[in-house]
């Protein structure tokens, strides 16, 4: 079920930290959109890339991070259901300016 049809969306049970792939450098900022397909138990079954896409090594690193994550499942009227969650993934290497 897409997010718009759920009474409660899937929620990550822990923080999901995206690390750049070993040996790969982030220019300034890389952005991609992923669709997470989450089952009734909160496991990520599949991750599909959407536009814009990340470079392949970064997309794989993001896939692995989300596949390893646990979610509370999406619900419709209190009943756990399979759901799809679209997420924006950002690898950012820009420095923070301090005033």
């Amino acid at each position: 079920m897409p997010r718009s049809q759920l009474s409660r969306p899937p929620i990550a049970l822990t923080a999901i930290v995206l690390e750049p792939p070993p040996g790969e450098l982030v220019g300034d900022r890389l952005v991609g959109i992923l669709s997470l397909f989450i089952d009734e138990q909160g496991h990520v079954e599949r991750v599909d890339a959407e536009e814009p896409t990340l470079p392949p090594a970064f997309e794989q690193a993001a896939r692995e991070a989300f596949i390893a994550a646990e979610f509370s499942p999406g619900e419709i009227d209190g009943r756990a259901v399979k759901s799809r969650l679209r997420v924006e993934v950002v690898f950012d290497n820009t420095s923070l300016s301090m005033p």
Side-chain angles (χ1 to χ4, degrees):
M1 293 297 212
R3 167 65 182 100
S4 61
Q5 295 181 5
L6 301 173
S7 52
R8 193 180 83 114
I11 298 171
L13 298 177
T14 59
I16 300 168
V17 178
L18 300 177
E19 296 289 338
E24 296 283 338
L25 297 175
V26 178
D28 284 336
R29 183 176 167 94
L30 297 172
V31 179
I33 303 292
L34 300 176
S35 278
L36 311 179
F37 293 85
I38 302 168
D39 69 15
E40 302 93 334
Q41 287 77 42
H43 301 111
V44 179
E45 293 184 323
R46 188 173 96 224
V47 178
D48 289 349
E50 297 184 19
E51 295 294 328
T53 58
L54 295 164
F58 287 86
E59 183 180 310
Q60 185 60 33
R63 281 179 192 275
E64 290 171 6
F66 284 106
I67 289 288
E70 290 292 323
F71 288 77
S72 62
E75 294 181 2
I76 295 178
D77 300 326
R79 182 175 50 93
V81 295
K82 292 182 180 182
S83 58
R84 182 187 72 185
L85 183 64
R86 292 180 74 231
V87 295
E88 180 180 63
V89 174
V90 179
F91 290 91
D92 193 342
N93 196 29
T94 57
S95 60
L96 297 174
S97 299
M98 301 301 281

